[in-house]
Amino acid sequence: MTTLEALHERLARHFQLLRQTRDVQTGGRPVFALEHGLMDQEVGELKAAVHSATRSGQLSSKWWLPLVVYASEVGYRYTGHEYWQTFEAETPEWIERGDRQDVRDQFQQFAKQFNGAQPSGPWARQFSIICWPITHAILPTDLQFQLARLLYETRQILPELLAQPDVLGAKLAARAIGSSTRFENFAQNHDLLGQVAAALVQGPDSSTPLLLDSALRRIVADLSVERQARRWLQDARRSAIRAKIKGAAGVRHRIGMGPRSVEDRLHGPQIATFSLRRKDGAPWSAFLEVPDLSSLTEASPDLYRKLASSRCRVAGVNGPPLAPGRILYPGQVVRLDEWPDPDSQLLQLETPDSRVDAILADECAISSGPVWLFLQNDEQSADEVLSKAVHADRRYILATREFGAPFAEWIKPVPIGCPGVFAFELQTPAKIGANEEAVLRTLQLTVLSDIEIQPTGLVPAGWDGEGHVEWVMGDVPLLTISSTREIESCALLLDEEPMWRVRWPMPPLGDRMFISLGGLDIGTHVLQVYLVPRGAQSKAIEGTLNVVVREPRIRSSVGTYREPLVIASSPALPTLTELWEGDAAISILGPTGLPVDVRVTLERERGANLVSRSFPGLRLPVESPQFLSEFDAKVRRAKEVYRQYDYAMSCLIAVSNPELGYKFMRCERELAPLRWGVAEDHEGPYVRLHDNSGSVAFAIQHFLFNQPGQGRSMDVTSSGKYRSPSGGMFVARIPNFQTAVILPPAVRDLADLRRLDVQPQIMTRYRSVDSVLGLMANAELWASAQFPGTPFARIPRNRVMRALTIAIAKTIAGSAWADVEDRLERGDQAALGALGRSLGQNEYQKSLVGAEVRRNATALVAANELERVGTLERVIRMVAPNVPLPGGFNWMAHFLLRLASSPDQALAWSGVRPRSAVEAAIRWPIMFCAARYFVLSLHAASPDSGGKRVYEGWSWQ
Amino acid sequence: MAIEDLDRATAAARCLEALDLGDQAVDLASPEAIAAVIRRAASFLCPITPGRLARSVAHSLMPLIGENGLRDQLEAMILTLTNYGDLVECPLLGDAVASSMALYVAPPAFVRRESGVLLLLGVRPEGMPLVGADLLDLIEYERHIRTIKPGPGTDLAQTLIDDGLTDLPADRWLRCPREASPIDAMTPYTSRLSAAPTSGRVEGLMILDPSTRVTYYKGRWRQPRSADNGRFVAQRPQGFGSDIWCYVELIDGMPIRLIDLPIAPELGRGCDEAWRLQAAIDALSGRPQRISMTWSGDRNRGVVQLFAPPPRWLQRRMDSIGVPVTSPGALVAYGMPALEAREEVEFARRMLWMEEGAN
């Protein structure tokens, strides 16, 4: 019997027994290959056996288990770099004799025979081979740190969930959104995450049927190697024990159990609350705190990603939408230009997405109108009372849609600088009698007379001052109930529980009673209080308190608007590529004038730094152009940093100030089946393909700058390296995935600079919709290509982008327009005037429309995106007033400006309408010509950005 | 779910227990408990103005411990926590309400005392504990100060760093201004004020009257009168948030010029600059501010008494050496070893040109 065969037999017996035990103890939880039960020395022998068999070509489909264990061991050490590169480097002659497909087949066999874990989720579909060994590695070492941190951050909810690994897994997965992509991928398998987490928290000494003791001990031991991770795990365990002990004393919170689930409890929209502020007796201004969307995004990674990269409008706020991702920063307060309509959608993506918009419409709202009540804190501020309940002898502001408030001397109009509502100040009388109560009811307010219910002791997480209170799980909810009347007894009704009755305390303690609410589930509750006054015929006094119990919120590492230091980024969590290519706007917010330390570090993996640079002398706030300029000078253009870029898996941006704290953002390289890297050696620049796909059927194409529409197929090289002295774009494709990169021309001396002077030739197209769509798709491909830091890549790439845009203009606008465009591109500035004069197909259009366009073009420089769109929209309405344009006039104007300045963006932006929009542009070319004239006029009038933009002055978000 | 009715004492005891102070706070009205309640409230409510924070806490505590002096006690403790470094006051973030000042929770950190004891600073959001569960019982509470002593053979500082606390060097925490003469200390302010444009009428202006008794701080504040001529430390209200500290020139009680403080925000807050500036004004007018040292029952321990609010750097220095105590007549007092007390008195005399003695 060979060693391989003996190992296979032994492992087969072990896994068979493990499967049977697990079936009995856990009802069929899966088995992992890492649970092989081998000692370190035996693992060494197994590796040697696999190496030997590979070298001798004797890897057998019959004795396959050693290879499964071997591949899982490699997966356990996987850090996000190429799995196969490591595997092949460690396995002699695998490239020549091994087959990646065999690895997948054998894992599938393992799943079938031993109830082995099956990878799931989108990640598993994209990485269809390496998902197996990585899943069977249970918790690869670099993810252990992140899990320990997550367990530490969620330690307060752990005790109740340890008995339900699947619920625990789902909860943890929700909180993992926005962490590293790999950890998010791991977290997609809730079952596995829950099992591992529960086992880790329960500890290696407490036996768990979920994982083999030896595997668990190994993970805990490896996790404990790093001090901080060990500390986090220990603290998560201690906190769990501590919370359990406290829970035994009567404070217990249930999550996802019992007759009402979390989903039931949380059903209902997140309410954005209003507040009013004024200065020195000026009219009140209205503000709205954007709701914390974390509970929504935790439930949907897709929603998080969409919001992270989209601009969002807030109802009632004019001007440009919030920058991409900014909606995800909790605590943000916006000034209202007008009062939002409660029936309209509060938050809306700038580019509509029916699914996301539907979620936002259902889940985010303002409180219902038509009146809104505010309790005045002082002369300058008032906060919304969600319950719309008033007490005697207090000062409120009432905002109402209707002017006609009932007459009463304690109600007087006050100015408010927010169209859409009228405001009244209410100074409620010391005693609210029947008349006053009637007035208040007319105003749709509830009167809480003779009773007060208020949180007591420790300040709750939220309290509107009247009837709405919010506690965090783990709190001891304590209330005071008081009355101005002499009370005999009290009854309380909490949700659907039986009524609870108690005698009211006797004097001298009879002015109030204290109530503790124990064991409230996460979610919303209603407490109704009935006080029976002394006296036979007294009517019971009623009061209501709305109670919300929620989980503690984890603060993002970048900060929130509730903290004095924030790294604000658009998109919310940029990738390394977006950061590197200047597609992320990063600013650092904080008190003006305070110094802030900023350090940027390229990391090979977490904690393994490649190169680090600090930005000295910065003071808050650091606006995004300043950050970009610092990043450009000290990181992107620094050769010693640039050279490390290809090896970097992430970039850590850390900002700190001793008074304000430490915030960081880690921009990770996106995990992709194929990835291009750009590097340079003694032969010049080259691109290198990193392959994680496991696919054998990929294709490589090379596009020269001078022939951007014609790709040339390349032979796949074993080194993954590709070169071209004149540079160009390389595209790698596998089924359902493609990626592109720009290789700069080799520039070693002054003579080589000629290579930057590219003259892209694009074949003349027929004037057809397909021709334009083809050019747009070509532009999209070139625009999607990633950049190295060097300007030698950007200059020729931008030439290509301009050539494609001009080709689109020629195709739509015809030969006369094309001639003038060519003159302009050759540097003939007079051609711009000629373009302006040629606007219009007849004399009437030329005199009317052309004049209008020329007049507006000069004003566009200072205009924002919306104003530019608005200007073109007016022109289109003149040109084609009765034309049924796709998406309407405004949409068409927006599309045409994108098409005329960044055709790559027009395709994706137009959603399902590109064909009909292009059709309309061809049919009424003057619309496009006007847009193109705007683009070129602005380009000519804008300062030179050093070749960063294809057309100056045009940067679409 | 369980509803339980409690008497006042039991309810207060439940709250005290929830603060996790161990047996170190005798009751909910103790300074240690008050400080803990404020920190916890701030962890949920920040950003918030000091006044609103005090109101919120008072609203919750009053039914349990009564209202007698509670608001004053809360306001003083919030100021102390801000000076100490558990809270930080700075302008609100975001465009919507720019220029408003608000309190934020300061980041978790620790400062090493020379004795090896570590001072804990900062507040975690959402009521989360500052340190790991194993360290909670080791924290000692003395009024607003939280300390933790390293045990033998443990690297406590490293453990705190692992828990996410910043190891804050003492000099960065204290951030003392340079020693200077009163005239030199005033020069940057007088120069700036002379160069400031003419100001108009300022509603709600309050000035610190240098002619009043320096040992009664609260009584030194008043509105300007028509006879007021000269330059004064002052406070003016702003639209939103707490009042702004300023230095103002009055002619016949009317503001002529005005500069807002601080002029060097990296060194401290407006009040820190204002209190030092006032100390310089008092010293130059021949009525220097006072500091005194008395003995506690033990001759080895002294009590340093201050009669005006100490700038942040002075309070932090005292916090790092001594223990806040209540001392009749003093606005702020610290107990500490006698030798240290003598040194602190000398330090304050040099830095704030004080004179020793309570009267």
Side-chain angles (χ1 to χ4, degrees):
Chain A
M1 185 185 279
T2 63
T3 314
L4 207 62
E5 186 181 348
L7 276 166
H8 178 89
E9 294 295 340
R10 178 181 164 181
L11 288 167
R13 283 194 300 277
H14 167 78
F15 283 121
Q16 190 57 44
L17 186 62
L18 187 60
R19 178 193 179 155
Q20 286 167 357
T21 313
R22 190 148 300 164
D23 280 351
V24 171
Q25 292 183 338
T26 68
R29 300 271 181 192
V31 169
F32 299 92
L34 200 76
E35 298 182 275
H36 47 63
L38 300 177
M39 310 287 284
D40 285 354
Q41 187 191 340
E42 293 169 320
V43 172
E45 288 165 12
L46 179 141
K47 285 181 184 172
V50 170
H51 291 172
S52 167
T54 310
R55 267 196 302 266
S56 59
Q58 290 174 344
L59 264 182
S60 160
S61 58
K62 196 172 178 189
W63 317 121
W64 50 273
L65 271 171
L67 182 62
V68 165
V69 170
Y70 178 86
S72 302
E73 286 286 335
V74 176
Y76 187 68
R77 287 177 280 117
Y78 178 65
T79 58
H81 286 277
E82 301 88 342
Y83 176 87
W84 289 115
Q85 197 179 45
T86 309
F87 188 96
E88 287 161 3
E90 291 186 6
T91 317
E93 299 184 40
W94 172 266
I95 294 173
E96 295 81 16
R97 300 171 191 276
D99 187 341
R100 296 176 181 184
Q101 308 293 334
D102 285 349
V103 174
R104 177 170 53 195
D105 294 346
Q106 291 171 359
F107 270 104
Q108 285 172 337
Q109 177 68 15
F110 183 84
K112 198 170 160 189
Q113 196 167 328
F114 303 112
N115 190 27
Q118 304 215 33
S120 63
W123 173 77
R125 286 193 290 278
Q126 200 172 22
F127 297 83
S128 61
I129 300 183
I130 67 167
C131 63
W132 285 95
I134 291 169
T135 298
H136 277 267
I138 304 177
L139 187 64
T141 42
D142 74 318
L143 299 187
Q144 291 172 3
F145 184 87
Q146 296 181 56
L147 180 57
R149 185 190 182 113
L150 185 61
L151 291 173
Y152 174 76
E153 286 174 340
T154 52
R155 58 196 183 279
Q156 286 190 315
I157 65 167
L158 291 176
E160 301 298 334
L161 296 177
L162 290 176
Q164 308 171 83
D166 48 341
V167 180
L168 174 62
K171 280 275 163 201
L172 292 175
R175 304 257 175 150
I177 293 169
S179 64
S180 80
T181 321
R182 286 202 54 231
F183 191 68
E184 269 189 42
N185 291 333
F186 164 70
Q188 284 169 8
N189 191 337
H190 296 176
D191 224 25
L192 171 61
L193 173 61
Q195 283 183 69
V196 174
L200 284 174
V201 173
Q202 284 160 353
D205 300 330
S206 60
S207 176
T208 167
L210 302 171
L211 281 178
L212 192 68
D213 282 355
S214 59
L216 178 60
R217 267 196 295 275
R218 176 182 181 183
I219 292 171
V220 173
D222 289 342
L223 201 151
S224 302
V225 168
E226 194 160 353
R227 198 188 49 248
Q228 192 164 35
R230 179 175 68 235
R231 171 101 190 117
W232 282 338
L233 186 58
Q234 283 170 350
D235 203 64
R237 283 186 192 142
R238 285 197 195 96
S239 300
I241 293 165
R242 204 178 172 98
K244 273 190 171 178
I245 292 166
K246 276 195 172 183
V251 183
R252 291 182 66 80
H253 298 270
R254 293 202 300 268
I255 307 171
M257 296 189 295
R260 297 176 76 178
S261 68
V262 180
E263 288 68 28
D264 292 339
R265 286 275 182 209
L266 292 180
H267 188 72
Q270 301 272 315
I271 301 295
T273 51
F274 293 104
S275 59
L276 302 177
R277 301 280 183 271
R278 69 173 172 186
K279 200 171 181 177
D280 303 333
W284 289 99
S285 298
F287 297 88
L288 186 78
E289 180 168 340
V290 176
D292 185 340
L293 300 180
S294 54
S295 61
L296 287 182
T297 52
E298 282 174 6
S300 166
D302 290 345
L303 179 65
Y304 177 87
R305 277 185 266 279
K306 187 73 188 173
L307 294 176
S309 58
S310 304
R311 300 214 303 177
C312 195
R313 289 192 179 285
V314 181
V317 179
N318 299 334
L322 295 178
R326 206 51 73 84
I327 199 74
L328 293 171
Y329 286 75
Q332 200 165 180
V333 176
V334 293
R335 185 191 288 265
L336 293 172
D337 298 305
E338 59 189 336
W339 200 266
D341 181 351
D343 297 327
S344 68
Q345 192 163 333
L346 176 65
L347 303 176
Q348 200 161 21
L349 296 184
E350 185 189 28
T351 307
D353 178 311
S354 56
R355 197 182 66 84
V356 173
D357 281 334
I359 294 173
L360 291 175
D362 289 344
E363 302 293 341
C364 302
I366 57 170
S367 51
S368 57
V371 297
W372 291 268
L373 183 69
F374 299 83
L375 180 64
Q376 266 190 261
N377 302 305
D378 46 40
E379 289 298 321
Q380 298 166 346
S381 68
D383 290 329
E384 188 179 6
V385 178
L386 290 170
S387 56
K388 301 189 199 301
V390 297
H391 272 99
D393 200 21
R394 289 191 188 166
R395 202 141 57 115
Y396 300 91
I397 300 292
L398 184 77
T400 168
R401 290 249 177 234
E402 292 168 10
F403 181 70
F407 174 79
E409 62 182 10
W410 44 277
I411 301 175
K412 60 176 184 185
V414 286
I416 184 166
C418 185
V421 285
F422 303 96
F424 297 88
E425 186 176 284
L426 275 65
Q427 172 62 63
T428 51
K431 174 81 182 162
I432 298 180
N435 288 344
E436 289 87 2
E437 189 168 335
V439 169
L440 290 166
R441 289 199 194 287
T442 312
L443 292 171
Q444 303 184 38
L445 301 176
T446 312
V447 179
L448 289 173
S449 54
D450 300 330
I451 184 169
E452 185 151 24
I453 313 164
Q454 65 170 78
T456 294
L458 306 187
V459 175
W463 169 235
D464 75 348
E466 300 295 353
H468 183 91
V469 63
E470 189 173 299
W471 275 293
V472 169
M473 70 179 284
D475 282 352
V476 184
L478 200 64
L479 298 171
T480 301
I481 302 172
S482 57
S483 175
T484 48
R485 307 262 301 269
E486 205 175 326
I487 303 297
E488 185 171 309
S489 66
C490 170
L492 288 90
L493 192 61
L494 183 59
D495 298 332
E496 300 90 25
E497 300 282 312
M499 188 169 276
W500 187 86
R501 295 170 198 280
V502 65
R503 281 205 72 75
W504 192 258
M506 295 298 288
L509 307 171
D511 61 336
R512 65 189 66 189
M513 71 181 300
F514 298 98
I515 294 292
S516 159
L517 302 175
L520 292 180
D521 290 353
I522 300 262
T524 54
H525 306 268
V526 177
L527 176 72
Q528 287 168 282
V529 179
Y530 302 92
L531 301 182
V532 180
R534 289 193 189 281
Q537 295 180 348
S538 299
K539 195 176 148 196
I541 304 164
E542 290 180 37
T544 303
L545 183 72
N546 296 314
V547 178
V548 172
V549 178
R550 63 166 174 83
E551 293 172 17
R553 295 184 183 120
I554 296 177
R555 293 274 169 94
S556 159
S557 68
V558 299
T560 70
Y561 279 81
R562 295 189 175 280
E563 296 160 272
L565 187 64
V566 183
I567 306 175
S569 166
S570 297
L573 197 60
T575 63
L576 175 58
T577 311
E578 285 170 327
L579 176 70
W580 192 261
E581 296 186 2
D583 293 334
I586 291 168
S587 47
I588 304 165
L589 309 178
T592 303
L594 286 188
V596 65
D597 296 326
V598 179
R599 178 162 280 277
V600 173
T601 305
L602 288 183
E603 303 173 314
R604 184 174 176 81
E605 55 194 72
R606 192 191 54 75
N609 297 350
L610 290 166
V611 62
S612 190
R613 288 287 177 273
S614 64
F615 301 173
L618 291 184
R619 286 185 178 268
L620 292 168
V622 181
E623 301 293 351
S624 60
Q626 189 185 5
F627 183 90
L628 191 64
S629 154
E630 292 280 333
F631 187 84
D632 210 37
K634 299 192 172 71
V635 179
R636 198 161 43 191
R637 286 173 188 261
K639 204 161 189 177
E640 58 276 31
V641 183
Y642 157 61
R643 281 183 170 158
Q644 301 289 350
Y645 174 63
D646 187 36
Y647 303 103
M649 293 305 287
S650 57
C651 178
L652 180 74
I653 299 169
V655 304
S656 63
N657 170 290
E659 294 284 324
L660 308 176
Y662 169 82
K663 300 290 168 203
F664 70 90
M665 180 166 73
R666 184 169 269 117
C667 304
E668 290 197 323
R669 202 180 277 286
E670 54 277 58
L671 200 61
L674 298 174
R675 172 173 79 79
W676 288 107
V678 185
E680 196 171 342
D681 60 14
H682 63 281
E683 291 180 48
Y686 62 89
V687 291
R688 187 162 69 100
L689 187 64
H690 302 262
D691 172 22
N692 257 331
S693 68
S695 173
V696 289
F698 57 81
I700 313 285
Q701 271 189 309
H702 177 212
F703 294 75
L704 289 165
F705 291 119
N706 285 335
Q707 293 173 315
Q710 295 170 36
R712 185 169 60 88
S713 292
M714 306 280 291
D715 292 332
V716 175
T717 64
S718 59
S719 67
K721 290 182 181 176
Y722 300 87
R723 298 173 189 274
S724 167
S726 47
M729 175 173 67
F730 285 83
V731 181
R733 290 190 180 92
I734 54 173
N736 303 319
F737 187 80
Q738 71 175 20
T739 181
V741 66
I742 302 292
L743 175 68
V747 178
R748 296 177 173 211
D749 50 36
L750 286 175
D752 287 343
L753 284 173
R754 282 175 311 181
R755 289 181 173 150
L756 299 178
D757 187 23
V758 298
Q759 303 294 332
Q761 302 297 314
I762 295 166
M763 285 173 59
T764 311
R765 308 270 179 146
Y766 293 110
R767 191 163 178 263
S768 71
V769 174
D770 285 332
S771 295
V772 176
L773 289 176
L775 289 164
M776 288 166 76
N778 197 209
E780 196 174 52
L781 180 60
W782 276 89
S784 74
Q786 67 188 74
F787 272 108
T790 167
F792 295 156
R794 193 173 288 272
I795 294 168
R797 201 289 306 245
N798 282 359
R799 286 268 178 89
V800 169
M801 294 304 296
R802 274 163 71 148
L804 287 165
T805 315
I806 291 167
I808 288 170
K810 288 176 176 175
T811 309
I812 293 176
S815 55
W817 184 274
D819 293 342
V820 195
E821 282 258 4
D822 282 338
R823 278 172 50 203
L824 191 63
E825 187 64 6
R826 286 195 299 268
D828 177 2
Q829 290 305 313
L832 185 61
L835 276 183
R837 288 188 296 278
S838 66
L839 280 166
Q841 289 157 313
N842 52 48
E843 285 312 310
Y844 169 75
Q845 282 192 351
K846 282 179 181 168
S847 63
L848 194 68
V849 182
E852 174 72 6
V853 172
R854 286 193 297 276
R855 189 173 58 78
N856 280 306
T858 51
L860 283 183
V861 178
N864 64 31
E865 203 172 275
L866 287 178
E867 289 163 343
R868 291 175 188 181
V869 171
T871 305
L872 183 63
E873 182 189 348
R874 284 196 297 278
V875 172
I876 294 175
R877 284 179 187 276
M878 286 171 68
V879 175
N882 300 315
V883 174
L885 295 172
F889 290 104
N890 187 272
W891 186 94
M892 192 67 191
H894 205 144
F895 172 80
L896 289 170
L897 282 174
R898 281 180 186 260
L899 183 64
S901 60
S902 312
D904 53 293
Q905 294 208 6
L907 200 57
W909 182 86
S910 59
V912 295
R913 299 188 187 121
R915 177 166 287 277
S916 53
V918 171
E919 215 166 62
I922 290 177
R923 197 159 173 202
W924 292 281
I926 188 171
M927 296 190 305
F928 176 81
C929 292
R932 183 74 182 141
Y933 182 73
F934 279 160
V935 170
L936 295 172
S937 299
L938 198 66
H939 173 69
S942 300
D944 186 359
S945 66
K948 283 181 190 161
R949 295 194 188 91
V950 178
Y951 288 104
E952 300 296 352
W954 295 93
S955 161
W956 294 98
Q957 291 189 324
Chain B
M1 280 185 274
I3 301 176
E4 196 180 354
D5 67 319
L6 311 169
D7 59 38
R8 188 191 306 252
T10 311
R14 288 268 175 95
C15 290
L16 196 61
E17 189 188 343
L19 289 172
D20 252 339
L21 299 174
D23 53 2
Q24 298 180 53
V26 286
D27 60 55
L28 198 55
S30 65
E32 293 77 15
I34 294 283
V37 172
I38 292 172
R39 282 190 211 103
R40 201 195 112 89
S43 82
F44 291 110
L45 304 182
C46 281
I48 187 170
T49 62
R52 289 189 64 196
L53 180 59
R55 270 201 299 278
S56 296
V57 177
H59 192 76
S60 288
L61 281 184
M62 245 177 227
L64 295 176
I65 63 175
E67 20 188 319
N68 190 19
L70 181 62
R71 278 297 294 273
D72 288 346
Q73 192 185 357
L74 289 170
E75 281 170 10
M77 183 58 81
I78 289 168
L79 179 63
T80 303
L81 292 174
T82 313
N83 279 348
Y84 177 66
D86 281 339
L87 303 173
V88 55
E89 187 173 23
C90 55
L92 266 176
L93 290 190
D95 302 332
V97 279
S99 84
S100 312
M101 295 293 282
L103 292 177
Y104 288 88
V105 293
F110 66 91
V111 174
R112 298 165 197 255
R113 275 180 166 175
E114 284 189 8
S115 62
V117 170
L118 307 177
L119 288 173
L120 299 178
L121 311 173
V123 179
R124 285 193 201 274
E126 297 277 301
M128 296 293 274
L130 188 71
V131 296
D134 57 330
L135 300 183
L136 281 177
D137 296 337
L138 303 180
I139 299 177
E140 292 184 11
Y141 300 87
E142 188 77 51
R143 297 182 76 87
H144 62 279
I145 297 178
R146 291 170 291 170
T147 55
I148 190 161
K149 282 184 191 144
T154 59
D155 188 352
L156 184 59
Q158 188 56 57
T159 308
L160 291 175
I161 291 169
D162 291 344
D163 279 352
L165 280 76
T166 303
D167 183 356
L168 194 57
D171 56 342
R172 286 195 81 169
W173 181 56
L174 295 169
R175 273 195 289 164
C176 261
R178 284 194 190 144
E179 192 176 334
S181 69
I183 288 186
D184 287 346
M186 284 182 67
T187 301
Y189 302 96
T190 50
S191 309
R192 281 213 187 196
L193 188 57
S194 300
T198 309
S199 71
R201 184 183 174 82
V202 181
E203 288 295 334
L205 186 73
M206 295 289 285
I207 59 166
L208 228 164
D209 183 352
S211 66
T212 51
R213 194 153 57 92
V214 293
T215 51
Y216 183 47
Y217 176 73
K218 213 169 176 179
R220 306 190 78 189
W221 285 98
R222 64 170 173 79
Q223 290 177 333
R225 297 178 192 136
S226 56
D228 287 329
N229 289 290
R231 295 178 167 190
F232 298 83
V233 168
Q235 276 193 301
R236 63 181 181 88
Q238 62 170 331
F240 314 122
S242 47
D243 293 350
I244 296 176
W245 288 88
C246 52
Y247 189 38
V248 62
E249 182 172 347
L250 303 179
I251 293 183
D252 297 335
M254 289 298 291
I256 300 302
R257 292 190 187 83
L258 178 147
I259 56 165
D260 285 339
L261 305 178
I263 60 172
E266 64 274 26
L267 294 178
R269 302 157 302 164
C271 58
D272 299 319
E273 289 191 6
W275 289 328
R276 183 163 178 259
L277 180 57
Q278 186 60 43
I281 293 169
D282 290 337
L284 287 174
S285 66
R287 302 158 164 271
Q289 292 189 3
R290 301 293 177 130
I291 186 166
S292 82
M293 180 181 152
T294 59
W295 304 98
S296 63
D298 175 358
R299 287 295 289 181
N300 291 322
R301 285 190 71 78
V303 174
V304 177
Q305 295 179 309
L306 292 164
F307 303 91
R312 184 168 66 186
W313 45 269
L314 183 59
Q315 187 201 307
R316 288 183 175 182
R317 190 177 154 103
M318 300 263 187
D319 284 337
S320 68
I321 298 166
V323 176
V325 293
T326 308
S327 182
L331 189 67
V332 177
Y334 279 84
M336 60 187 75
L339 275 177
E340 301 262 27
R342 171 49 50 203
E343 198 179 317
E344 287 314 296
V345 168
E346 290 306 319
F347 174 77
R349 286 184 59 183
R350 284 198 317 273
M351 297 299 291
L352 292 172
W353 318 283
M354 289 175 161
E355 198 167 84
E356 198 168 346
N359 299 306

